Amino acid sequence: MFREVLKKWFLFGIDKEEKELYRERVMKNDHKMYQGLLLCIMFLQALMFAFSFVESNLNPKFALAYRCLYAFLFIVSLLAYALTESLYKKNKKMPYFVVVSLTMFAFMLWGSGISILDSKIHNDLTYFCLTVIAASLFITLEPWVTALCCVVSDAIFSVCFALLCNFGVIQTQQGGGFFLTTLTACAIAIVGSTFNFIKRINVIGLEIEVSKLNITLQNKAYIDDLTKTYNRRYLTENIDAPLNYGEPSSAVIMFDIDHFKRINDMYGHQIGDLVLAELGKQLLKLIEGKNAYVVRYGGEEFLVYYSCLSRNELFEFAEDFRKHIESISLTIN
């Protein structure tokens, strides 16, 4: 159980391609929520900045410090909004989550700064605890990233708080209690982030499995079992449209096997199937690396569809194609 949790904590035991799928799903599922969250934070910071001028009992130096922190978080949120939107549109997953991680860390630092200022006035750690826990629950990141942000922000908060107490800037009798509160908030954030992430990963894992299954079923619906070429359903749904709308440089070669009925009559349908299977294999080899499809149109009738091919290239290829098929030999034991 612990090993499984640890694997998901760091996404261990998951290949690179699957990690990318997980990150892509999280990005697509959560992007609108992130953007909405950032807009709310910008609005609240602007509001708090405005209200800081109304507060008359606040020391001017502390008022300036509060305003600087409100402006800091507003600017961070604005930059994060612009960067994540740009990276989302470009589907840049890794840079996207780096920006999200740095934004989470900035939220926690902001909470630390506000709580240090609040401690001077009324010994309050509300903002630190709220930002640490809320950021970990609302932002879906690998738990080790959340843990790192929590530990570093708590260390910065603790060092700054201890220095300010030592120099008499903050007068409090609750130093040990404050540190215990910050550690508790970080622990709650890390545990909450772990459960949130594992739950999301399990759901996304099921979505990926269903997607893979759908792709497999779709392929089976489009692939002819005997020749492994596409079937007429694929032709109707994917090739008819470009042909009907006159896609530039599109071309079709259609052919059947001469005297195929004789093979079935003389050797039986099983041997006829072997001939068709070998032909399908050779056709697929011939179009390998080209922008082309092979379709089994009927019993022994085949169609080859090409795009991005000139008229002369088509005639040359059709002749090479005919010669290659003519040269195929099949030994029947």
Side-chain angles (χ1 to χ4, degrees), residues 159-298:
V159 169
C160 291
F161 188 82
L163 286 172
L164 291 170
C165 286
N166 188 52
F167 288 110
V169 177
I170 295 174
Q171 304 291 335
T172 180
Q173 303 298 320
Q174 305 181 51
F178 272 24
F179 295 137
L180 182 61
T181 302
T182 62
L183 288 174
T184 303
C186 288
I188 292 169
I190 293 166
V191 171
S193 171
T194 302
F195 278 105
N196 179 38
F197 186 75
I198 290 174
K199 184 180 176 182
R200 295 296 302 281
I201 286 299
N202 288 339
V203 171
I204 290 169
L206 286 173
E207 288 176 0
I208 291 170
E209 287 301 315
V210 170
S211 295
K212 286 179 179 177
L213 185 59
N214 285 336
I215 290 167
T216 303
L217 291 172
Q218 188 179 56
N219 286 339
K220 287 195 174 205
Y222 285 150
I223 300 294
D224 178 62
D225 286 335
L226 181 60
T227 62
K228 308 306 177 190
T229 61
Y230 288 118
N231 55 26
R232 282 187 71 168
R233 181 176 180 179
Y234 182 84
L235 174 70
T236 304
E237 294 182 12
N238 295 277
I239 299 178
D240 273 4
L243 284 176
N244 291 336
Y245 288 102
E247 185 180 282
S249 303
S250 61
V252 168
I253 299 173
M254 193 165 183
F255 64 92
D256 64 2
I257 304 172
D258 292 339
H259 313 299
F260 184 69
K261 187 174 182 302
R262 290 184 192 175
I263 296 172
N264 282 332
D265 292 343
M266 190 177 296
Y267 299 105
H269 287 278
Q270 285 186 328
I271 300 303
D273 286 350
L274 287 175
V275 170
L276 289 171
E278 180 62 26
L279 179 61
K281 183 179 173 183
Q282 294 297 325
L283 292 173
L284 291 172
K285 276 186 182 178
L286 281 167
I287 65 160
E288 205 169 63
K290 296 180 174 65
N291 194 5
Y293 305 97
V294 179
V295 177
R296 186 182 179 190
Y297 192 78

Side-chain angles (χ1 to χ4, degrees), residues 1-8:
M1 176 67 180
F2 179 72
R3 185 180 293 180
E4 287 301 312
V5 170
L6 198 61
K7 276 184 179 181
K8 287 174 181 177

